[in-house]
Amino acid sequence: MTEKTAKSNAGKGWLCCAAIIALCVISCFAQNGTYTTKKVLGLLGAVGIIGMMLFADKARIKRLMSPPSFALLAYLLLEALSTFYARSGKFAIAEFSCNLIAFAVFMAIVLFSDDGKQSFRRIAAVLATAAAPVGLLSIDAASCNILMRPVRPLLEFVGRGYDNTGAYFYSRLNTILGNPNIYAGLMSVACLMSLWLVLTSESRRQRILCTVLLMVNAVSYLLAFSMGSLGVFVAACVLMLVLSPKETRSGLFLLLLQTAVIALIVGAVSVKGFGDTVTGSPLPMIMLVVGCVAACLLEIGVRGKLAERLADKGKLLIGAVAGIVVVITIYLIAALNVTGAYTFGTEGDFRRTADLPAGDYTLSVDASAPVNVRVAYKNTNNLVQNNETDLANASTDNDITFTVPEDSKLVFFYVSCDQPGVTVNTATYTGAKDGSVKLGYKLLPAFIADRIQDLTANGNVVQRGVYRQDAIKLWKTAPVFGRGLGGFENGVASVQDYYYETKYAHNHYVEALCDLGVLGLLAFLSMLGTAVWALVKSRKEKPLIVMLLAACVLQMFGQAVTDVTWSSGSCLPMFFAVLAAITVFCADSLRLKLPEKNKGGAVRWPVTVVCAVFTVLIGLNLIAQSKLNSDNLTLDDLKLGAKIDLFEANDYKMSYLMSNYDDETLAAKYAASLSRVQSNTITVLLAQYYANTGDFSRAFDILDRGAEYTRANAEQWQKIFRLEEAIVDPVGSLSAVERIKDDTYIKRVVNSYNKLCETNAQQLDDVTLTERNNTFLNKVLAISATDSYDMRTAMNTFSNLVLDTASAPDVNADSQPDFAEVAEGSASWNEGGAFTADTDCTISFTAVIKNDGDYALTVQSSNAAGITAEVGGTTVTFDAAGKGTTPVHQLGDADSTTTITLHVPAGTTVERVIYTME
């Protein structure tokens, strides 16, 4: 080796180290960082792309003149354009910034890598190595917490999401990225790269280093146990076997087998060192080291020799594969059925399931010390909403009884104990079906045993189907160009059948359709199609490279069906790097044939201009944000932010309106522009501005529109009614008198109430209101029920009435007033708030009292004398007419509640309950 070559290799080595550090940092902070962190990364990416485009030579630029590159550029261009019409510019620019930094990685590989085998190997090594620290730190952070200590201050300083450990283990490894599925998207590709690096190693040293890298990535990937990702990964490994050259197929098969077995053993033992909190156990890290040593020994001493023996023995290899499949099948059957006692470690709880028919059951638990068991079930609605309904929750000091309903799909047993070492020997149930709960799975790692419990009724799977359906509903509102990046997150509450929180549709094909329309979906599919096209064209010339990249493409686009990996800042750099490798190493035959004089300006200048535009726009956004977050924020700063920040101008406008603004004309202009925005956050604040200016009609219009856009969000409805109450609060003021001089105000509030009732009638679950909301609506509905509107009557009702079951709000249409609860016994509710006690029962009514005074409780019933009551701890008795014999003096407090409790004998009918100031 010449001195010049040595220096060149050394320089490339340092460059690779820098690339590894940069990619690792991007993977961490593009996922768990704040919006500001993401935008800073996007700004750096845009500046970097400009520099690369300006200084790259024409030969390198021409690499971009190929279908895979064109597809990616088209997709990114649609994303860039969507930030200008997105429903939420804040969401859009944060997501696009992650794409910008990933595109910078793509451009760096395309423009500055060589096209030889060693160059490809360096790229694969950088990508696989950059992911490894994330897995290593995640394992450490959830166990002994040694490596994480010096790293955590940096992570906490730059990004959120790294509090306490930064990772924890509960049925699987929740990594420092926060989301195991996103982490799995990153690490699955890193594992494929690591497998390829081991398989193609040319020296003993390379094989050892790459084997260690493979084990670190494989163990952490397995511990994350993303079932969707693992399913695609198995298919990707099969594809690698199919595409691998004949001479390497047996070696690859043995490598896959070797890696899987060691990773499973290491993972199974490591689980004992994890806990919900930092336990300080070094076991997972020790087992990782042991796994690396074992893998290296097998790699150096066994796999190569065995692969040589299997070479050219196709039938033997097929027999071996068939035999392993049979063994795995037998093992899985045994693993799911060979169970015994369960001994608690640091995990504190575990769950098991049983498919039980409807009926009554008794659960008997034999344990070395009392444990707690919560029994729950899931029906179809539970699966859709990804929740469950409790049937029992008790200690095992005594037998536990529960009843399984007819609509049950699966019954869950959650067993918990805070004492490590306690053993649960058996848990048997008798009733409609006799049997026992499977406790300790002897042949399965604990984390796998827990994750497979609900495979037959998995709420996550069903709920993701709901996400996709809601995304399709949103897509129909903008079918061609979509709603812009972040469009799903911004608008999903407007189409939900029940309230849930998610940023993404968990299917990037549907996500692209929703955010970018049909054009965006076509662009995304073209990325897949052109990548496959390039790989097919290059298979004969570069079989080993195609083998790896095809598996990566399957993994990337396959997991996109179930996870949000293509919207994750952690995964995008890895995915774009794979597409870059395809562009450089497999797209030669597809590249446009351009004249020698052509300098690639058709790509160079458009990309440069777009990046320059976003450099300016993101820069202005960051300047405006710095002023907004400063301690010396002024009204002029808000005006400046609204003027220069294209993406978050609405935030500055809203802040200006909520401040003591100094320009009424400008405030009105801001409010008019905000009233045209589809937002899930500004509704109440904007309506409050209009109410403060005396434009109550406009305020109600804004609230009506906002209620429709966030119809499934209970918190928004609660804020809406709280603001509607504030419009006439305090009731005795001149402004309040002016607002209720006719029935317009009452009709608008009743209209809001009716909209909520209609919404609940269409929802799978009900939007519920606060006690204060219910007290306010009770008064409004009481006024609305009068034969003719009278302002004096309205004033008295607002001032004096606390509750009246005859006009009680009932947003879930079950005939029971929303402020009433049957605490003991049972009662049948009728129209108008009347009820009959089926058994001796206790019924509580909760309300908010705002005015000081003496209050009287009246119960209209033919058996009023047999009813007893307490009001806030004060006992109330009734005369024959059902009126309390002594008034209750109460102090008004809008922030606390008063509870009225009635004890009603069986068979008694109560027509009406009234509590009002005398």
Side-chain angles (χ1 to χ4, degrees):
M1 181 184 295
T2 65
E3 182 178 350
K4 182 177 180 181
T5 302
K7 289 182 178 180
S8 176
N9 290 338
K12 291 178 180 178
W14 284 109
L15 185 61
C16 288
C17 290
I20 289 169
I21 295 172
L23 283 173
C24 186
V25 169
I26 292 170
S27 295
C28 290
F29 297 128
Q31 175 62 26
N32 269 12
T34 62
Y35 281 137
T36 299
T37 308
K38 294 179 180 181
K39 287 181 287 189
V40 169
L41 289 173
L43 179 63
L44 294 175
V47 172
I49 294 168
I50 293 172
M52 287 185 279
M53 295 303 291
L54 292 178
F55 294 103
D57 60 58
K58 63 180 182 181
R60 303 281 178 158
I61 292 290
K62 289 180 180 179
R63 285 181 172 179
L64 296 169
M65 309 296 284
S66 63
S69 178
F70 289 149
L72 178 59
L73 290 172
Y75 180 72
L76 290 174
L77 179 60
L78 288 171
E79 286 193 322
L81 292 174
S82 81
T83 63
F84 297 106
Y85 62 81
R87 301 314 194 259
S88 173
K90 181 177 184 177
F91 298 160
I93 193 57
E95 187 166 339
F96 184 63
S97 293
C98 293
N99 280 273
L100 273 176
I101 190 65
F103 186 48
V105 174
F106 173 89
M107 296 297 282
I109 293 174
V110 172
L111 297 180
F112 297 103
S113 63
D114 298 328
D115 56 4
K117 178 181 177 182
Q118 288 304 315
S119 177
F120 181 84
R121 185 173 182 81
R122 277 193 294 269
I123 292 171
V126 167
L127 295 176
T129 307
V134 181
L136 194 63
L137 289 173
S138 295
I139 294 174
D140 174 76
S143 55
C144 58
N145 203 30
I146 295 175
L147 300 177
M148 194 67 179
R149 287 174 186 167
V151 178
R152 186 180 296 106
L154 173 63
L155 299 179
E156 291 176 345
F157 175 76
V158 178
R160 62 190 178 193
Y162 299 104
D163 52 336
N164 295 327
T165 65
Y168 63 93
F169 193 97
Y170 182 78
S171 78
R172 58 174 172 168
L173 182 65
N174 288 266
T175 68
I176 63 172
L177 298 184
N179 186 315
N181 296 322
I182 287 176
Y183 172 79
L186 169 70
M187 199 56 64
S188 58
V189 177
C191 285
L192 293 172
M193 297 278 183
S194 303
L195 285 166
W196 187 88
L197 288 169
V198 175
L199 187 68
T200 59
S201 294
E202 297 177 349
S203 67
R204 183 188 183 93
R205 178 172 174 272
Q206 279 188 352
R207 291 173 69 185
I208 292 174
L209 292 176
C210 294
T211 300
V212 170
L213 177 63
L214 172 60
M215 288 312 304
V216 171
N217 289 340
V219 170
S220 62
Y221 176 49
L222 178 64
L223 288 172
F225 205 73
S226 170
M227 291 190 287
S229 178
L230 284 169
V232 180
F233 185 77
V234 170
C237 290
V238 171
L239 181 62
M240 284 187 76
L241 283 169
V242 172
L243 295 180
S244 64
K246 186 177 180 181
E247 61 272 14
T248 62
R249 189 167 297 152
S250 57
L252 175 59
F253 171 74
L254 293 173
L255 179 59
L256 290 169
L257 182 63
Q258 166 185 296
T259 304
V261 171
I262 296 176
L264 279 169
I265 294 173
V266 171
V269 179
S270 296
V271 170
K272 300 181 184 299
F274 289 119
D276 289 335
T277 58
V278 179
T279 63
S281 172
L283 180 61
M285 297 300 288
I286 292 174
M287 285 304 302
L288 183 59
V289 172
V290 171
C292 290
V293 172
C296 288
L297 291 175
L298 289 175
E299 176 63 27
I300 298 301
V302 178
R303 187 184 68 85
K305 296 178 181 178
L306 191 55
E308 289 179 2
R309 293 187 177 183
L310 290 176
D312 299 324
K313 297 179 180 179
K315 293 182 179 179
L316 181 60
L317 181 60
I318 293 173
V321 171
I324 290 173
V325 170
V326 171
V327 170
I328 291 175
T329 302
I330 295 173
Y331 168 78
L332 289 176
I333 294 173
L336 294 174
N337 290 280
V338 177
T339 59
Y342 184 97
T343 300
F344 283 96
T346 58
E347 69 279 2
D349 60 6
F350 66 94
R351 70 170 181 169
R352 294 295 182 258
T353 60
D355 186 7
L356 302 180
D360 296 327
Y361 290 86
T362 299
L363 178 69
S364 302
V365 177
D366 175 24
S368 60
V371 298
N372 192 80
V373 179
R374 179 169 67 89
V375 185
Y377 82 99
K378 289 187 178 184
N379 59 18
T380 301
N381 277 351
N382 291 134
L383 290 173
V384 171
Q385 299 176 55
N386 197 19
N387 57 21
E388 58 198 17
T389 303
D390 285 351
L391 299 175
N393 192 347
S395 171
T396 57
D397 291 324
N398 299 302
D399 290 346
I400 300 172
T401 59
F402 59 94
T403 301
V404 178
E406 291 287 346
D407 60 350
S408 173
K409 298 295 183 183
L410 197 64
V411 176
F412 292 77
F413 300 90
Y414 295 88
V415 187
S416 59
C417 179
D418 57 5
Q419 301 178 37
V422 171
T423 298
V424 182
N425 298 308
T426 60
T428 58
Y429 50 83
T430 57
K433 177 182 178 181
D434 296 343
S436 61
V437 179
K438 295 179 180 179
L439 300 172
Y441 286 79
K442 300 301 183 182
L443 302 177
L444 274 182
F447 69 100
I448 295 179
D450 190 84
R451 290 281 291 163
I452 65 172
Q453 290 300 309
D454 58 352
L455 286 180
T456 59
N458 191 293
N460 283 324
V461 174
V462 178
Q463 191 176 49
R464 291 182 187 193
V466 174
Y467 297 164
R468 292 191 289 270
Q469 292 172 6
D470 288 344
I472 294 297
K473 295 177 187 175
L474 286 171
W475 163 68
K476 291 179 180 178
T477 66
V480 179
F481 296 102
R483 300 170 57 85
L485 289 177
F488 177 80
E489 180 181 5
N490 169 269
V492 66
S494 67
V495 296
Q496 291 172 337
D497 290 327
Y498 66 95
Y499 184 69
Y500 57 80
E501 293 184 358
T502 183
K503 292 184 177 181
Y504 307 107
H506 287 72
N507 179 311
H508 197 73
Y509 299 93
V510 177
E511 184 89 27
L513 189 65
C514 175
D515 290 356
L516 304 176
V518 173
L519 295 179
L521 177 61
L522 290 176
F524 187 67
L525 291 174
S526 70
M527 290 165 59
L528 170 60
T530 55
V532 172
W533 184 18
L535 292 170
V536 170
K537 295 285 285 186
S538 301
R539 185 186 173 190
K540 291 183 179 180
E541 297 177 4
K542 303 172 182 178
L544 286 174
I545 291 177
V546 168
M547 172 187 74
L548 170 61
L549 293 179
C552 291
V553 167
L554 175 58
Q555 184 69 46
M556 289 157 37
F557 288 91
Q559 193 174 343
V561 174
T562 58
D563 291 317
V564 301
T565 48
W566 278 91
S567 297
S568 164
S570 294
C571 297
L572 285 173
M574 177 73 81
F575 293 176
F576 279 38
V578 171
L579 296 176
I582 292 173
T583 300
V584 173
F585 298 96
C586 301
D588 293 349
S589 61
L590 304 179
R591 201 163 292 147
L592 296 182
K593 305 301 181 183
L594 300 175
E596 181 64 25
K597 295 182 179 180
N598 189 297
K599 297 181 180 181
V603 172
R604 187 195 299 266
W605 299 119
V607 171
T608 302
V609 169
V610 171
C611 288
V613 168
F614 277 93
T615 298
V616 173
L617 293 177
I618 296 175
L620 291 173
N621 171 271
L622 292 172
I623 291 172
Q625 285 288 297
S626 67
K627 292 183 177 293
L628 181 65
N629 296 324
S630 70
D631 296 330
N632 302 312
L633 179 66
T634 66
L635 291 175
D636 288 337
D637 291 334
L638 294 175
K639 294 177 187 177
L640 178 64
K643 186 179 296 184
I644 68 173
D645 189 346
L646 178 67
F647 306 110
E648 299 183 57
N650 292 337
D651 290 351
Y652 305 107
K653 293 177 181 178
M654 196 72 256
S655 297
Y656 183 78
L657 296 181
M658 291 297 100
S659 305
N660 294 321
Y661 52 83
D662 56 1
D663 186 335
E664 292 186 3
T665 302
L666 182 62
K669 180 181 177 181
Y670 283 172
S673 68
L674 289 171
S675 66
R676 296 188 293 270
V677 173
Q678 289 184 331
S679 171
N680 51 19
T681 57
I682 69 173
T683 295
V684 175
L685 293 175
L686 183 58
Q688 183 178 329
Y689 160 79
Y690 279 112
N692 291 341
T693 62
D695 190 348
F696 300 107
S697 177
R698 187 64 172 160
F700 273 104
D701 289 342
I702 294 295
L703 291 176
D704 288 345
R705 183 183 178 194
E708 183 65 28
Y709 200 67
T710 58
R711 66 192 187 112
N713 190 335
E715 184 179 357
Q716 282 296 105
W717 280 103
Q718 292 163 9
K719 290 180 179 179
I720 286 170
F721 287 115
R722 180 67 187 86
L723 178 58
E724 291 181 351
E725 178 188 5
I727 289 176
V728 293
D729 194 17
V731 173
S733 65
L734 291 176
S735 58
V737 172
E738 178 67 22
R739 289 159 204 165
I740 61 173
K741 65 182 180 181
D742 59 31
D743 62 352
T744 301
Y745 169 79
I746 298 298
K747 287 181 176 178
R748 293 302 299 260
V749 177
V750 171
N751 180 62
S752 297
Y753 169 76
N754 289 334
K755 281 182 177 290
L756 176 55
C757 293
E758 292 171 5
T759 297
N760 278 344
Q762 300 166 2
Q763 300 273 108
L764 290 177
D765 63 348
D766 295 318
V767 171
T768 57
L769 301 176
T770 65
E771 291 86 355
R772 183 165 179 173
N773 293 152
N774 287 327
T775 301
F776 164 66
L777 285 173
N778 196 176
K779 298 175 181 182
V780 171
L781 294 173
I783 296 169
S784 177
T786 58
D787 293 333
S788 60
Y789 182 80
D790 177 70
M791 185 181 73
R792 187 177 296 275
T793 301
M795 290 283 291
N796 289 334
T797 302
F798 273 123
S799 300
N800 302 330
L801 181 65
V802 177
L803 67 82
D804 182 353
T805 56
S807 56
D810 181 19
V811 297
N812 58 356
D814 63 354
S815 297
Q816 178 175 323
D818 292 337
F819 50 62
E821 179 184 1
V822 180
E824 295 179 10
S826 64
S828 299
W829 293 86
N830 306 310
E831 293 294 331
F835 65 90
T836 300
D838 300 324
T839 63
D840 290 348
C841 64
T842 299
I843 299 179
S844 60
F845 302 88
T846 306
V848 173
I849 296 176
K850 298 172 67 175
N851 299 320
D852 299 349
D854 293 329
Y855 290 83
L857 177 64
T858 302
V859 177
Q860 297 179 3
S861 172
S862 58
N863 184 28
I867 299 173
T868 60
E870 295 95 31
V871 178
T874 301
T875 301
V876 178
T877 57
F878 301 99
D879 58 22
K883 184 174 182 179
T885 56
T886 50
V888 179
H889 184 75
Q890 294 202 259
L891 300 177
D893 185 355
D895 295 323
S896 63
T897 60
T898 294
T899 300
I900 301 167
T901 305
L902 299 184
H903 303 284
V904 185
T908 301
T909 297
V910 176
E911 285 83 18
R912 190 176 185 182
V913 179
I914 306 170
Y915 191 55
T916 185
M917 184 188 294
E918 292 190 318

